[in-house]
Amino acid sequence: MRYEAIEDIMSYVDEELVICNIGFPSRELYETNDRSRNFYMIGSMGLASSIGLGLALSKPHEKVIVIDGDGSLLMNMGSLVTIFASNPANLTWIVIDNGAYGSTGNQDTYAQLIDLVDIAQSVGFKNSFNFEDIDLRDIIESDDASFIVYKTEAGNSTAPIIDIDPITIKERFMKSI
C-alpha cells in the first residue's frame, strides 16, 4: 500500500525538501517520518507538484522531492508540461499510483487506463521511470527533472490526523529552509 511506498521513498531521503500530497499521504508521511523539511499539504489537491516546482526554482541548490498521487496528477495534468519546460535539475516528482482517490473514498482513477510513465516521456521527460527500475538516490542526484511512478495497491492506513496546524507546518518548513 501507499504507506509502505512512503516508507520506502523516505529511506532514500537525507536533507531533501519533501512536498507531500494532501490527505492520507501527508498523514502517512507525518506518522512514518515527521521532520521540519517536510511540507504537508492540507488542501489544494493537485498542487503538490506546482508547489514543488516553485520551491525547486526558488531554491536551486536544494533538492526537492514531491510525493504525489495519481488522482492529484490527473487533476493538474498541466503541471507535467510546466515542470518539463522548466526542467529544474533539483526536482524529483514521485507519483504513487494506487489507481484510486485514496483520501476521498478510494474511487477509481483513470490512471488505471493509462501509463503515466509513457505520458511523461511523451511530454519530453528524459528521466521518467517506474520506481522498481531505478535507484532513487541516483535519480535524485541527476541533472534533469525526474518523474517516477511508484505503483501500489489502493487502501489507506490508520495514520492519525496531523496534529500540527497548517500555519505551524508552513512556518516550521520555512524556517528549515
Side-chain angles (χ1 to χ4, degrees):
M1 286 196 332
R2 183 186 50 245
Y3 189 93
E4 290 82 12
I6 290 171
E7 285 182 315
D8 192 11
I9 292 164
M10 291 305 288
S11 73
Y12 293 91
V13 171
D14 294 319
E15 293 300 314
E16 292 84 7
L17 303 173
V18 176
I19 308 301
C20 191
N21 187 30
I22 65 163
F24 275 97
S26 279
R27 290 168 59 174
E28 292 164 351
L29 176 58
Y30 180 71
E31 182 176 70
T32 62
N33 193 337
D34 178 40
R35 57 193 199 112
S36 62
R37 293 174 72 84
N38 292 350
F39 185 78
Y40 307 107
M41 298 290 295
I42 310 290
S44 306
M45 185 173 178
L47 294 178
S49 58
S50 299
I51 291 169
L53 172 61
L55 191 58
L57 293 174
S58 67
K59 296 285 188 183
H61 300 295
E62 293 271 9
K63 295 289 185 179
V64 177
I65 297 172
V66 173
I67 299 175
D68 212 348
D70 55 306
S72 288
L73 168 61
L74 293 171
M75 288 193 73
N76 188 9
M77 289 291 285
S79 60
L80 270 171
V81 174
T82 304
I83 291 172
F84 163 73
S86 300
N87 194 30
N90 58 331
L91 180 65
T92 303
W93 182 7
I94 304 170
V95 175
I96 299 176
D97 178 2
N98 62 6
Y101 292 102
S103 293
T104 62
N106 285 316
Q107 304 89 345
D108 290 348
T109 69
Y110 290 125
Q112 295 179 15
L113 305 174
I114 58 178
D115 186 320
L116 296 174
V117 171
D118 282 350
I119 291 171
Q121 288 172 342
S122 73
V123 168
F125 275 90
K126 289 188 258 179
N127 291 342
S128 182
F129 309 98
N130 286 302
F131 188 84
E132 66 270 7
D133 298 333
I134 59 157
D135 178 325
L136 183 56
R137 178 55 37 205
D138 289 344
I139 299 300
I140 291 169
E141 299 301 327
S142 71
D143 292 330
D144 288 298
S146 299
F147 179 87
I148 300 163
V149 174
Y150 195 129
K151 289 213 174 256
T152 68
E153 296 295 318
N156 297 322
S157 72
T158 58
I161 293 173
I162 297 172
D163 61 359
I164 304 172
D165 67 88
I167 292 171
T168 303
I169 291 170
K170 176 193 76 161
E171 289 172 351
R172 180 176 90 150
F173 183 76
M174 289 174 61
K175 187 176 182 180
S176 78
I177 60 172

